[in-house]
Amino acid sequence: MKNRSYSESEKSAAVNRFLVNSESVADIAADTGISRSTLYAWIKSAQIEPVTLDFTLKNFRMLETKAKRLEGIVEILQIANCTANAPLNERLQALEELHGQYNVHMLCDALKVPRGTFYNYIFRNKRDNTWHAKRRGELRIRIQQIYDESKQIFGAGKITAVMKEEGYKVSQEMVRELMRDMGLLSIRQDAKKVYAKERRSLKNHLNQQFEVTRPNEVWVSDVTYFLCKDIKYYICAIIDLYARRIVGYRIGKRNSTQLVKSTFKQAYESRKPVGQLLFHTDRGSNYRSYAMCSYLRELGVIQSFSKAGVPYDNSVMESFFSSLKREELYRTKYRSEAEFRAAVDAYMVFYNERRPHAKNGYKTPVKLESIYFGEQKEPETMS
């Protein structure tokens, strides 16, 4: 059968896909119908006869990209714990360990593994507690920390740079993928537009109406901090407005989305509220984060936010934190973090079960709820 002839434009396009776009010969062959042997011949000719090409910026970028790709493949082959001729399962395990440190195309080309096979192995193979899953979990924690510390400013590039400086072996591609999964976006782009949209969407549904008719109708929350042994600890608490009962609290070393979300999750799973729940807070970035807002939407919880610069909109929380500090934290010099945490735990029990509240007719929060539930249903408790 007579071989088909190809135009110079077809040859150039195919070679550029390999040298510039780093596509594999197999993919190009499958897409164009050109045999692999023909493609290899064209690529070899382009590589060994550079004098036939005009030296342009495009050609320079093409050669630069090709050199970096080849350097990466060599590096992968040097550190992989198997060769490209090893059994497929060994090669897949080696790629799993290197995933996130190198471009997936480069990894698969180095150990001769089809990308579809690799993705299937990584993302569809439902194995429990794999090394890969554990590592992704560790990376997620540090990414969230850096994102929060930058006040949601850093994107994938800057977070990758910080992590590499700290010794993490991670690529920008992996960081971007994990940030996308976590719902983390840099606020640098279109900040003014986002700010204007945010001001329209952050509605104050509570409007200082602190009297409610039932438990689990309105929860309010805030975060405060306390210095113990010169270390700043953040305390997040949630109060049910009906009896002013603390339904959830947590202590952390960072005022992060993770802190407020885990506190809400603790309260929600403990109380199991029935009916519409309103959750009111200030406009802190942790409460406004994508992760927090999407989590509450999934539960059907309505978010309410204080007006900017109006502390009275969340005065119940302000009053509680004032009591916590005046009645406990400011009165004691804690010798350790454990002693400080134990004191906060004890105060929460005291506040709910033993401290009469004027708003409750000097009944404790637990007592007032028990009266309500005694008439309605069995009481709900905070774990």
Side-chain angles (χ1 to χ4, degrees), residues 235-238 246-251 259 262-264 266-267 320 341-342 344-349 352 382-383:
I235 304 171
C236 177
I238 299 175
I246 304 298
V247 295
Y249 71 94
R250 288 202 178 246
I251 302 171
L259 176 64
S262 63
T263 305
F264 187 91
Q266 174 201 42
F320 166 72
R341 287 178 178 271
V344 174
D345 291 341
Y347 183 83
M348 296 301 183
V349 174
N352 279 340
M382 178 181 70
S383 59

Side-chain angles (χ1 to χ4, degrees), residues 139-168 170-172 174-176 178-180 182 184-186:
L139 293 177
R140 283 172 182 268
I141 292 173
R142 187 59 188 130
I143 289 170
Q144 180 72 62
Q145 291 171 343
I146 297 172
Y147 180 74
D148 290 333
E149 289 166 359
S150 75
K151 298 182 179 180
Q152 303 181 355
I153 294 174
F154 287 2
K158 288 184 173 62
I159 291 178
T160 302
V162 173
M163 295 182 73
K164 286 185 174 180
E165 184 70 21
E166 295 174 347
Y168 286 89
V170 65
S171 68
Q172 185 171 327
M174 169 63 81
V175 172
R176 182 178 292 108
L178 292 177
M179 288 183 69
R180 189 183 302 116
M182 297 162 69
L184 304 182
L185 297 172
S186 170

